[in-house]
């Protein structure tokens, strides 16, 4: 099978963003304080520009953690299937930072997924155009056009009902062991 796997909130947790927001604001926000998709929206409007200047000097991957069992499961998937790690790199708040973000993601992948062919790292914004049998992502709209759609539970999607997921033929996964059961233990 050809498998697409997202990076942010699927391989890597939200700790990097949260750390940088808290570090900048000198706060103790937790992920439960985030109402929407963008963690940086915790920053008050009057401090947004200053935060963006601060943020673009950082690499979120220096502060983020990899979800438990992720590397092992991806390694097993990669041995058995055609695996691609796909991620957007466009930074909404400063498009000029996007090139740096691309390098940070690529470096992170080379370091932590050295067993994968770097030609299988795909950077794009519209994942709808990526044709494959399986998609693993934290955003529903990135799961289109796949036979098997696995929604990785994240702070911003945890309230999507099972009924809504069922309508769209999406399976919720809460961790990498769930993914392993679905894709490797058949």
């Amino acid at each position: 099978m050809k498998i697409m796997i997202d990076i942010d909130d699927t391989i890597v947790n939200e700790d990097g963003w949260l750390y940088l927001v808290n570090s900048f604001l000198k706060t103790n926000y937790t992920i439960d304080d985030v109402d929407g998709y963008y963690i940086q929206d915790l920053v008050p409007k009057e401090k947004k520009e200053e935060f963006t200047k601060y943020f673009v000097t950082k690499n979120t991957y220096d502060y983020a953690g990899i979800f438990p069992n992720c590397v092992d499961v991806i390694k097993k998937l990669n041995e058995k299937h055609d695996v691609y790690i796909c991620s957007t790199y466009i930074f909404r708040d400063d498009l000029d930072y996007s090139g740096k973000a691309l390098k940070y993601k690529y470096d992170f992948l080379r370091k932590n997924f050295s067993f994968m062919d770097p030609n299988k790292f795909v950077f794009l914004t519209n994942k709808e155009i990526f044709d494959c049998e399986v998609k693993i992502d934290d955003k529903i709209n990135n799961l289109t056009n796949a036979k098997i759609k696995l929604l990785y539970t994240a702070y911003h999607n945890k309230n999507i009902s099972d009924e809504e997921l069922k309508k769209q033929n999406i399976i919720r996964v809460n961790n990498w062991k769930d993914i392993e059961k679905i894709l490797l233990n058949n």
Side-chain angles (χ1 to χ4, degrees):
M1 288 188 297
K2 188 174 176 183
I3 301 171
M4 179 203 89
I5 303 172
D6 176 49
I7 298 175
D8 299 306
D9 299 323
T10 305
I11 289 174
V12 175
N13 64 31
E14 66 284 337
D15 290 353
W17 275 97
L18 206 51
Y19 173 82
L20 291 173
V21 166
N22 281 326
S23 180
F24 173 77
L25 293 174
K26 300 185 182 7
T27 53
N28 292 307
Y29 285 121
T30 69
I31 202 60
D32 293 330
D33 296 314
V34 181
D35 287 334
Y37 180 76
Y38 294 101
I39 293 174
Q40 68 266 36
D41 287 347
L42 289 168
V43 177
K45 286 184 182 186
E46 63 273 6
K47 293 188 175 198
K48 282 274 193 212
E49 189 175 323
E50 187 182 347
F51 173 74
T52 299
K53 287 178 185 175
Y54 166 80
F55 178 84
V56 299
T57 67
K58 308 293 183 197
N59 177 352
T60 56
Y61 297 100
D62 289 341
Y63 310 98
I66 298 174
F67 285 113
N69 304 304
C70 174
V71 175
D72 291 337
V73 172
I74 290 176
K75 191 172 198 171
K76 289 176 191 174
L77 287 169
N78 192 54
E79 289 168 359
K80 193 172 179 181
H81 299 289
D82 191 17
V83 176
Y84 293 81
I85 297 180
C86 299
S87 186
T88 186
Y89 63 95
I90 302 299
F91 181 54
R92 171 192 80 164
D93 299 333
D94 183 345
L95 292 177
D96 292 334
Y97 175 76
S98 299
K100 272 187 180 177
L102 176 62
K103 179 173 177 14
Y104 293 152
K105 284 180 188 247
Y106 178 80
D107 291 347
F108 167 82
L109 291 171
R110 289 289 293 147
K111 177 183 173 189
N112 293 287
F113 296 87
S114 59
F115 56 87
M116 287 190 67
D117 178 352
N119 289 303
K120 301 277 183 108
F121 303 153
V122 179
F123 302 98
L124 69 172
T125 300
N126 181 0
K127 294 180 187 174
E128 216 176 285
I129 65 171
F130 196 83
D131 185 34
C132 59
E133 288 85 9
V134 179
K135 289 186 177 182
I136 306 167
D137 206 299
D138 61 299
K139 288 179 77 176
I140 286 182
N141 62 336
N142 290 336
L143 297 172
T144 58
N145 303 328
K147 287 181 193 171
I148 300 172
K149 304 171 189 178
L150 303 179
L151 180 70
Y152 199 92
T153 299
Y155 63 94
H156 58 85
N157 71 29
K158 64 185 176 205
N159 294 325
I160 299 171
S161 72
D162 291 341
E163 184 179 288
E164 178 62 30
L165 295 178
K166 190 174 182 175
K167 276 189 220 172
Q168 297 186 52
N169 198 27
I170 295 172
I171 301 165
R172 181 182 292 282
V173 290
N174 295 308
N175 55 57
W176 279 89
K177 285 296 186 182
D178 287 351
I179 294 168
E180 183 176 36
K181 284 177 197 162
I182 293 166
L183 298 178
L184 289 168
N185 295 339
N186 294 341

